[in-house]
Amino acid sequence: MTVPSVLPRGRLAVAGALTGAAGLAVSLAAAALLRERLTPPDAVAETVIDATPGKAVSVLVDLFGRWDKPLLVGGVVVVLLLLSALGGVLAGRVQLRGQLVFLAMGAAAAAAILTRPQWSMVSLVPVIAGTLTWLAVLPFLTSAEATGTRPAGGDGDASRRRFLQRAGIVALATVAVGVGSRFLGRQRRIVEDAREQLALPATDGDVPSGAQLDLADLEPWRTPNDDFYRIDTAVVVPAVAAAEWRLRIHGMVENELVLTYQDLLDRGLTEAWVTLCCVSNPVGGELIGNAWWSGVRVADLLAEARPLADADAVLQTSEDGWTCGTPLGALTDDRDALLAVAMNGEPLPLEHGFPVRMVVPGLYGYVSATKWLVDLEVTRFDDFDAFWTGKGWAEEGPVRTQSRIDVPRSNHRVMAGPVRVGGVAWAQHTGVEKVEVRLDGGPWTPVELGRVPSTDTWVQWAGTVEADAGVHTLAVRATDRSGYEQTGVKRDVVPDGATGWHTVEFTAE
Ligand SMILES: Nc1nc2c(c(=O)[nH]1)N[C@H]1C(S)=C(S)[C@@H](COP(=O)(O)O)O[C@H]1N2
Ligand SMILES: [Mo]
């Protein structure tokens, strides 16, 4: 039986994809062995995130939520396998052409790694190992001898057998290396274990009496760590050991400082309730949480460093290279801007910035709340672009006064008559003065507010509206202690936070 001419092409595509997978597995194993935070596909994915315009990022995050990063890395791998298949087909005609496809992929991955912060020559080793694997495996699977493309020797069956043998060897080796690399990547577990052993002088923070109102289905006033929203650009969470962590405070200062974790603890912990909010939180959204933070006051550390008189900003950098710029004033006034080591009485979870992150009451996270913080440079706003401000977000990000309805939820059904309603309102570091609700465009009526320990947290509100049978619209607005009454004008989250009243429709019956 003769081999149809499409079969070699199909074989070549499979051979190329297998070659791609083999090099990928070797590069993953090398990255794990070297304890690199990012594998080559992770580095490509992070580079894509950095290069994506800000508006597109927020649309994609809305669309995919927590799946955005796994989907992106998966997409990178799919593209890699497709290009590899192409490389296999080309190699079947002229080996060099196929090799060029793999060399180009290796070069692209290397370029992505060079755009990552904190790269070293070692960071390139996984890509080099993967590329060398590609160059070795490609002829093994795609040479004329391997595929029987030019049936100089042997009939179709023999050549098919030979190809299947070779493909099988490569597939088995790939799976073995891939599985093996899972056992090599221990950095995160080492850091997790050491974190478990930490005994910090941090307390759990009792929820102040009167803060939690008695209304079923309100979000809890204290957000548990596991439920706290998470926003960051890291494809792989940095795993930084507390013992190895250093913070450098430098730039326009008279006294440069380098601090260890123990240096921080030795200065004594300040603890406070602070509500953290994301600028990308839409009206009525969930990108906000309230926690008890334990940390060292940034103002005290900056006082030791002695900023120069004409500095007006602090450029913060994280282990994964993310940056933000914070007004120096917000870090040196009397508010509790903290270098936090604990969240709700526990060492920071890795996802929330272990070992040290910043929290600044009154500012959105994108200009203040750096996780995995490693560097503070005292500087001037004129002299830098930070991650999000480089993508069209405002340079300064004071939190906008906002309010949200949690009860009833949109489209819920309730009993006609007096209906209990409730939610939260926030105006961090200004304080909420008053919250009002409005049913079906009627008059605004004030509701009850929970008691809060400071102006830096959200406040729960609850009230009762009279609703007869039918569909109703409930709106909420807050007035803060500066006298500002929350505007009903709807504006998008870009450039400095959404505005508008949160409104829900519900049915009474
Ligand atoms: N290293 C790093 N820190 C970061 C970010 C980031 O992308 N990388 N995102 C910031 C943003 S936009 C917000 S809203 C907060 C969110 O903190 P959380 O994930 O602990 O809720 O972290 C801030 N700190
Ligand atoms: Mo954010």
Side-chain angles (χ1 to χ4, degrees):
M1 223 181 90
T2 52
V3 182
S5 67
V6 297
L7 187 55
R9 168 122 25 110
R11 277 188 201 174
L12 287 169
V14 169
L18 267 178
T19 303
L24 176 63
V26 167
S27 77
L28 298 189
L33 203 62
L34 297 168
R35 297 218 191 137
E36 286 292 308
R37 180 176 69 90
L38 300 176
T39 64
D42 294 332
V44 172
E46 268 196 19
T47 307
V48 170
I49 292 176
D50 283 3
T52 307
K55 186 71 217 181
V57 174
S58 65
V59 170
L60 292 173
V61 169
D62 273 0
L63 222 68
F64 299 118
R66 284 176 180 228
W67 292 101
D68 56 347
K69 284 165 207 157
L71 280 172
L72 181 56
V73 176
V76 169
V77 170
V78 168
V79 169
L80 181 145
L81 294 178
L82 289 176
L83 286 173
S84 298
L86 174 71
V89 172
L90 293 177
R93 299 205 192 103
V94 185
Q95 271 293 312
L96 180 66
R97 285 197 200 151
Q99 287 169 353
L100 284 177
V101 172
F102 286 94
L103 279 172
M105 288 197 295
I113 286 162
L114 298 187
T115 68
R116 299 301 80 209
Q118 276 117 7
W119 68 272
S120 66
M121 288 323 257
V122 172
S123 319
L124 290 174
V125 170
V127 173
I128 293 170
T131 307
L132 291 176
T133 305
W134 282 338
L135 297 182
V137 173
L138 188 64
F140 183 67
L141 291 180
T142 62
S143 64
E145 190 203 354
T147 57
T149 322
R150 275 161 233 142
D155 57 18
D157 277 352
S159 80
R160 181 180 303 143
R161 220 174 304 120
R162 190 168 340 106
F163 175 70
L164 286 178
Q165 262 172 13
R166 292 190 174 194
I169 292 169
V170 172
L172 275 179
T174 299
V175 170
V177 172
V179 170
S181 73
R182 308 287 308 166
F183 293 98
L184 294 172
R186 287 255 161 105
Q187 175 71 6
R188 174 154 181 155
R189 210 160 324 141
I190 291 167
V191 172
E192 293 271 19
D193 289 348
R195 173 183 171 276
E196 299 276 314
Q197 302 303 317
L198 282 175
L200 296 178
T203 67
D204 191 21
D206 294 324
V207 171
S209 79
Q212 179 70 52
L213 295 183
D214 184 21
L215 174 60
D217 295 332
L218 274 185
E219 293 277 316
W221 186 79
R222 178 215 295 264
T223 313
N225 290 355
D226 287 343
D227 296 342
F228 210 95
Y229 79 94
R230 178 185 160 201
I231 292 283
D232 53 66
T233 59
V235 166
V236 178
V237 169
V240 184
E244 275 152 40
W245 177 85
R246 298 285 181 278
L247 174 69
R248 194 166 155 239
I249 305 179
H250 63 113
M252 297 171 67
V253 295
E254 283 173 34
N255 179 35
E256 185 170 323
L257 296 175
V258 177
L259 300 169
T260 65
Y261 195 70
Q262 191 57 46
D263 291 339
L264 269 195
L265 299 184
D266 289 346
R267 279 164 172 80
L269 298 183
T270 296
E271 306 191 291
W273 291 103
V274 177
T275 296
L276 180 61
C277 180
C278 184
V279 68
S280 299
N281 191 37
V283 172
E286 311 254 293
L287 299 180
I288 180 166
N290 185 46
W292 173 249
W293 305 94
S294 315
V296 175
R297 295 192 72 240
V298 183
D300 295 344
L301 296 173
L302 286 173
E304 284 181 47
R306 296 198 301 276
L308 303 183
D310 48 346
D312 65 4
V314 173
L315 175 62
Q316 307 188 36
T317 306
S318 68
E319 168 73 15
D320 62 319
W322 185 83
T323 55
C324 78
T326 313
L328 184 59
L331 300 180
T332 49
D333 64 16
D334 61 357
R335 80 185 82 188
D336 286 323
L338 297 179
L339 285 188
V341 294
M343 179 179 187
N344 288 324
E346 270 182 42
L348 288 177
L350 263 64
E351 278 73 16
H352 293 290
F354 184 83
V356 180
R357 73 154 332 150
M358 179 104 67
V359 179
V360 184
L363 301 183
Y364 284 123
Y366 84 106
V367 290
S368 67
T370 309
K371 306 192 272 189
W372 318 293
L373 179 70
V374 293
D375 192 284
L376 294 177
E377 181 187 350
V378 178
T379 175
R380 298 187 51 77
F381 273 113
D382 292 344
D383 292 343
F384 67 89
D385 257 339
F387 188 89
W388 287 111
T389 45
K391 289 181 184 292
W393 258 266
E395 194 166 77
E396 300 209 9
V399 175
R400 287 182 180 278
T401 299
Q402 262 292 352
S403 49
R404 186 179 80 194
I405 300 166
D406 288 340
V407 183
R409 301 261 164 205
S410 237
N411 301 320
H412 269 203
R413 294 171 174 276
V414 299
M415 280 225 302
V419 175
R420 290 290 281 162
V421 299
V424 280
W426 58 91
Q428 288 96 306
H429 210 59
T430 305
V432 174
E433 177 67 34
K434 179 171 71 172
V435 174
E436 298 162 294
V437 294
R438 185 175 78 171
L439 191 68
D440 303 325
W444 287 101
T445 47
V447 290
E448 176 202 349
L449 296 185
R451 239 176 299 137
V452 282
S454 74
T455 59
D456 294 341
T457 71
W458 63 10
V459 48
Q460 292 190 340
W461 60 266
T464 306
V465 295
E466 280 298 327
D468 22 328
V471 177
H472 297 278
T473 304
L474 182 74
V476 65
R477 76 176 180 198
T479 302
D480 67 30
R481 294 207 181 146
S482 76
Y484 169 76
E485 182 189 274
Q486 196 189 319
T487 175
V489 176
K490 287 184 191 154
R491 280 182 41 197
D492 183 50
V493 295
V494 187
D496 55 6
T499 67
W501 297 322
H502 188 213
T503 303
V504 301
E505 271 200 0
F506 67 94
T507 305
E509 52 190 19

